[in-house]
Amino acid sequence: MRLSLLALFLIGNLAHASEPLTIDVHRDANCGCCTAWISHLQDNGFTVNDHVEQDMSAVKRRLGVPARLASCHTGVIDGKFVEGHVPAADILKLRERADLVGAAVPGMPVGSPGMEYGDRVDAYQVIGLDRDRQDQVLSDYPAPQR
């Protein structure tokens, strides 16, 4: 009996681990980089619920995105905000951090996911926001040496 229960537990956990992650993305209808970021997420195994919004400022306020971290689109996963061109790998980092309420790539740095422009890549950071509203660097993406 114990062996059967253990087998069911393991199979259940494996099935759960293979389920795609779902993220809600709120964006303006006229934004091309937002749809490119959505493609990046889908290419990395995320299921995306795409919400076209009339007032992105109201969405950001409702989700608690500070103006200093703002970008063009806002995602929500596990109740946490994902602001701007955050790479899929950093969204996974955010999910592992109970101390963070969100993550952001402020502005629209060239070379971040959805902002590809030839071989140009600007340096940028992924900033995590903790429960005390303090910034923490989750990842640092330097510009390549030329």
Side-chain angles (χ1 to χ4, degrees), residues 69-120:
L69 298 180
S71 184
C72 53
H73 51 263
T74 307
V76 180
I77 190 165
D78 299 339
K80 300 177 179 191
F81 71 80
V82 179
E83 179 68 10
H85 296 270
V86 177
D90 291 300
I91 296 172
L92 298 177
K93 285 183 188 177
L94 171 64
R95 293 185 74 236
E96 295 172 0
R97 298 277 307 268
D99 62 317
L100 298 180
V101 297
V105 171
M108 299 171 66
V110 174
S112 61
M115 288 296 298
E116 293 86 358
Y117 185 75
D119 62 352
R120 183 175 157 207

Side-chain angles (χ1 to χ4, degrees), residues 107-134:
M108 299 171 66
V110 174
S112 61
M115 288 296 298
E116 293 86 358
Y117 185 75
D119 62 352
R120 183 175 157 207
V121 177
D122 293 341
Y124 68 96
Q125 293 180 320
V126 178
I127 307 298
L129 186 69
D130 69 21
R131 295 186 189 288
D132 294 326
R133 311 299 283 173
Q134 299 299 311

